[in-house]
Amino acid sequence: MAVDVRWATTGDAAALTVMLCEMAVHYRQPPLDSARAMAAARKWLGEESTAYPHFALAFVDGEVAGLASVAIAHPGIDLERLMFLKDLFVREDVRNAGVGRALIGFLAGHCQRDGIGRIDFTTEDWNEGALRFYAGLGAERHGQKIFLRLSGEALEAAARP
């Protein structure tokens, strides 16, 4: 199966919408309203920097098959930037067919070309498929950091002077 991976552009809003809606279900969230997801996809893709786009999309036979959502952070180790992989998602009907590997390969190649020293990411502790996939790539588990989140009332309180 040939997998084509590229950075998403404004013309990919519909493909990104499909992935966002499927991700919500996979990650045990309420289903997304597709019109709302499309509006968000158009907004996000319209704001993308050409130097550092946030979404890579994988296509199989012209159909969207996978998504990687990333951010570039400064500084990393030895003043190299780092890529944070927020989400890697592959549609259920093409899992274990090389789509995830193609997305990671695309991101890793981008890092090597642009002097980005590493890719950091997280996954849910219940997502055994993702844990196996990342272990198969040679990813190391790091226990040095604890994942924390500010949201809801805590986020509102932190924003107050």
Side-chain angles (χ1 to χ4, degrees):
M1 168 185 325
V3 181
D4 175 41
V5 180
R6 60 182 165 77
W7 292 117
T9 66
T10 54
D12 292 314
L16 180 55
T17 299
V18 167
M19 297 308 300
L20 295 172
C21 290
E22 289 194 23
M23 281 175 50
V25 172
H26 176 77
Y27 289 116
R28 304 173 181 175
Q29 299 171 5
L32 290 175
D33 173 74
S34 60
R36 184 172 160 250
M38 176 65 94
R42 284 184 176 139
K43 179 181 186 304
W44 295 337
L45 292 173
E47 294 172 347
E48 297 292 276
S49 158
T50 56
Y52 294 111
H54 296 112
F55 298 100
L57 294 174
F59 295 85
V60 174
D61 297 327
E63 297 291 323
V64 66
L67 157 82
S69 171
V70 302
I72 307 298
H74 307 270
I77 295 172
D78 198 24
L79 300 179
E80 287 184 317
R81 294 165 297 168
L82 68 92
M83 177 181 282
F84 180 71
L85 176 60
K86 167 61 177 82
D87 284 301
L88 178 73
F89 180 75
V90 174
R91 296 179 80 171
E92 189 171 353
D93 61 334
V94 291
R95 286 195 191 131
N96 301 309
V99 175
R101 180 67 184 91
L103 281 160
I104 292 291
F106 176 83
L107 298 175
H110 177 80
C111 288
Q112 288 187 320
R113 285 187 302 278
D114 282 17
I116 298 168
R118 70 180 199 244
I119 301 174
D120 287 348
F121 48 91
T122 63
T123 192
E124 288 77 7
D125 59 1
W126 56 263
N127 195 340
E128 293 180 19
L131 290 168
R132 281 192 308 275
F133 172 73
Y134 292 131
L137 291 173
E140 305 166 6
R141 281 191 179 195
H142 279 254
Q144 305 113 308
K145 297 188 181 195
I146 297 171
F147 178 73
L148 303 166
R149 176 178 293 153
L150 279 176
S151 63
E153 290 180 16
L155 182 63
E156 290 176 22
R160 288 187 217 118

